[in-house]
Amino acid sequence: MTQSVATGNLRLSAKSQVDKLCGRDMAKKKGGIRFTILPLTRDLWPALEDLFGKSGARNGCWCMYWRLGGAYREAPRGANREALRQIVERGSRPGLLAFDGELPVGWCQLTPRDGLPWLDHMWWFVRVDALPVWSISCFFVRRGYRRQGVMTQLIFAALKAAKRAGAPALEGYPIDTGAPKSTSNIFTGTAAAFARAGFKVVARRASARPIMRHDLKGIGR
């Protein structure tokens, strides 16, 4: 198995958070790999740094695109990383990390939609209604773990995490890879993965860019 570069303290923290915060329902199995999914906290920040690497996920974005728009590209070196770190330092848990054993292998940003103002700057993602939904806005999966179900398991875990946080519904903004003029840049996820988790299309203003939503009433905690 690939060895993690995480410290011993990080390994202990991950195990304790599995037991205390998430419970056994957050540990999933896909293709023989056991993925443990945890909310990003201060203790797990080094794991996110390890996953994102020197490139900061995609082009140094550090998952700030839906907060800042294209301005993230103009930020001084290290500014996007620091901005996300400060969100975590203030006690927010802005997403979920997937682990294969001790190795961080996947991430999804999970927040109230109000925390992602740039969504309303994109005409195809303008709000459907006034419901205070939460959003899964982007994913990052470690090379070597792609196409192994990490994205799907993160979506299922996000449903329970949003339910526990009191959200009435969870939205995603994926790429419909079967639609004309679809892009291969699937950092917002794929419509097929969201559909497998029970999400339904609630708006489609561009053929390849649906808004998909899951009512959380029937989701257990």
Side-chain angles (χ1 to χ4, degrees):
M1 178 180 291
T2 305
Q3 293 298 309
S4 171
V5 299
T7 65
N9 286 339
L10 176 58
R11 290 194 290 268
L12 179 60
S13 177
K15 182 180 185 303
S16 65
Q17 290 201 48
V18 171
D19 294 340
K20 183 177 180 182
L21 297 176
C22 296
R24 296 300 177 183
D25 64 307
M26 297 290 278
K28 306 292 182 180
K29 221 171 188 178
K30 179 73 174 181
I33 300 175
R34 186 178 179 83
F35 297 121
T36 301
I37 300 177
L38 301 168
L40 176 61
T41 59
R42 294 175 185 172
D43 289 345
L44 294 182
W45 177 258
L48 185 71
E49 289 185 312
D50 178 47
L51 175 64
F52 279 11
K54 293 181 180 179
S55 297
R58 291 178 176 83
N59 303 316
C61 69
W62 284 93
C63 225
M64 296 303 292
Y65 177 74
W66 293 116
R67 299 173 186 273
L68 303 176
Y72 86 85
R73 299 185 185 93
E74 303 166 9
R77 184 178 178 83
N80 292 320
R81 172 188 170 279
E82 183 61 18
L84 183 58
R85 191 182 71 81
Q86 286 299 320
I87 290 171
V88 177
E89 284 293 320
R90 290 194 294 268
S92 294
R93 298 179 176 185
L96 302 175
L97 279 167
F99 291 83
D100 176 14
E102 299 160 6
L103 181 71
V105 298
W107 156 263
C108 74
Q109 182 161 245
L110 173 68
T111 63
R113 180 179 165 124
D114 286 345
L116 306 170
W118 203 254
L119 284 169
D120 286 319
H121 286 256
M122 309 295 284
W123 65 271
W124 50 80
F125 293 149
V126 171
R127 292 174 184 270
V128 174
D129 51 38
L131 194 69
V133 300
W134 277 45
S135 299
I136 302 176
S137 54
C138 52
F139 296 86
F140 185 75
V141 177
R142 185 183 292 274
R143 191 178 300 276
Y145 282 84
R146 295 166 190 175
R147 300 183 182 275
Q148 294 191 41
V150 178
M151 179 187 295
T152 297
Q153 298 305 332
L154 281 165
I155 294 172
F156 276 105
L159 287 167
K160 291 194 173 186
K163 173 74 171 186
R164 284 195 292 267
L170 183 60
E171 277 187 355
Y173 315 97
I175 304 296
D176 185 345
T177 56
K181 300 182 179 180
S182 174
T183 176
S184 60
N185 187 351
I186 58 171
F187 78 95
T188 55
T190 65
F194 278 90
R196 283 194 293 272
F199 284 71
K200 306 297 183 184
V201 175
V202 293
R204 190 186 290 267
R205 298 163 182 139
S207 63
R209 304 306 306 266
I211 297 177
M212 300 183 72
R213 183 181 286 185
H214 198 304
D215 187 314
L216 297 180
K217 290 179 181 177
I219 298 296
R221 293 176 181 271

